[in-house]
Amino acid sequence: ETGVTQTPRHLVMGMTNKKSLKCEQHLGHNAMYWYKQSAKKPLELMFVYNFKEQTENNSVPSRFSPECPNSSHLFLHLHTLQPEDSALYLCASSQEVAGKNIQYFGAGTRLSVL
Amino acid sequence: DAKTTQPTSMDCAEGRAANLPCNHSTISGNEYVYWYRQIHSQGPQYIIHGLKNNETNEMASLIITEDRKSSTLILPHATLRDTAVYYCIVSSNDYKLSFGAGTTVTVRA
């Protein structure tokens, strides 16, 4: 248990569906992240939020829409996805301390787009 | 952030020490070395980090060379549950961790 909880763990959706991924952290951290991990590829950073403000958008298509209502919750809203968006989506949180920034990850949501 | 180079894969025997090397020859003075691991289809797990001194915790030891251009992660007594992809990452405090391909470690009975 890392203190970062992601729901759902598995999601199957059609290309015309709208769904949301949820992430909650119980660590009191100020930064939260979304990563994408496609099959046999390294993790790709998608979005960074720091004190609820988006500080990084790594050229992510607009069909992925993040939302950070407070420092403990992060959502990823999905609409009109493509089959190539099927991947493991990981959430992480961190707190900068004395120049160090250790990220703690959730277990991920395995997304399949049909 | 500086780039890291790790072997693609390595095997080790259960109960023996596993030594995982990482090269980061372009590391700058304010960059930390972080190690994470990812067991199949789970989220990455933080293992250890260091700046210039050697570090040890309940999971592993981190040995950083004096010139900081390379480091070694040591798992003192590998178990089958240590089979995972291990990532060596160098980063300053800019909220970005760049995960490469890592080293696939297989612990064999």
Side-chain angles (χ1 to χ4, degrees):
Chain A
E1 180 56 55
T2 63
V4 180
T5 303
Q6 290 187 242
T7 54
R9 291 294 311 279
H10 301 273
L11 179 62
V12 179
M13 59 187 289
M15 289 190 284
T16 57
N17 292 158
K18 289 185 180 181
K19 296 285 184 185
S20 296
L21 310 185
K22 179 183 176 183
C23 177
E24 183 175 2
Q25 58 100 356
H26 310 275
L27 301 169
H29 291 167
N30 60 272
M32 296 188 76
Y33 312 74
W34 280 116
Y35 288 84
K36 174 185 177 182
Q37 188 173 31
S38 302
K40 301 191 186 302
K41 290 187 177 180
L43 276 76
E44 303 170 47
L45 179 65
M46 300 174 73
F47 301 105
V48 181
Y49 278 82
N50 192 15
F51 291 106
K52 302 188 298 177
E53 298 297 320
Q54 187 181 121
T55 57
E56 184 85 15
N57 177 338
N58 226 13
S59 303
V60 180
S62 59
R63 57 186 184 269
F64 295 92
S65 174
E67 178 190 2
C68 188
N70 54 61
S71 293
S72 298
H73 294 87
L74 185 65
F75 296 88
L76 188 63
H77 303 299
L78 316 171
H79 62 98
T80 59
L81 294 193
Q82 305 298 310
E84 60 264 28
D85 297 321
S86 298
L88 180 67
Y89 288 85
L90 292 156
C91 173
S93 73
S94 73
Q95 177 76 35
E96 185 267 325
V97 174
K100 298 183 291 291
N101 184 28
I102 299 169
Q103 295 184 21
Y104 293 88
F105 286 79
T109 296
R110 174 72 61 186
L111 174 67
S112 297
V113 181
L114 304 179
Chain B
D1 294 332
K3 185 178 168 58
T4 62
T5 304
Q6 300 177 250
T8 303
S9 64
M10 61 185 296
D11 286 1
C12 61
E14 187 179 23
R16 304 293 294 270
N19 297 317
L20 283 61
C22 180
N23 286 323
H24 30 80
S25 58
T26 61
I27 192 170
S28 59
N30 65 338
E31 290 182 311
Y32 283 81
V33 180
Y34 297 86
W35 283 84
Y36 285 75
R37 73 180 183 184
Q38 187 175 22
I39 296 170
H40 182 62
S41 291
Q42 297 181 22
Q45 177 189 23
Y46 164 76
I47 301 172
I48 199 167
H49 73 281
L51 186 62
K52 42 187 166 181
N53 297 325
N54 298 337
E55 303 287 345
T56 295
N57 63 21
E58 65 279 2
M59 290 183 68
S61 295
L62 175 60
I63 307 299
I64 302 175
T65 58
E66 194 168 339
D67 63 8
R68 302 211 321 127
K69 293 184 176 181
S70 66
S71 60
T72 301
L73 179 75
I74 301 172
L75 307 177
H77 305 286
T79 71
L80 298 179
R81 287 181 293 181
D82 292 322
T83 293
V85 179
Y86 287 77
Y87 301 99
C88 169
I89 301 166
V90 169
S91 179
S92 60
N93 181 28
D94 61 356
Y95 296 96
K96 294 181 191 176
L97 294 180
S98 293
F99 286 80
T103 297
T104 299
V105 173
T106 303
V107 180
R108 302 193 185 279

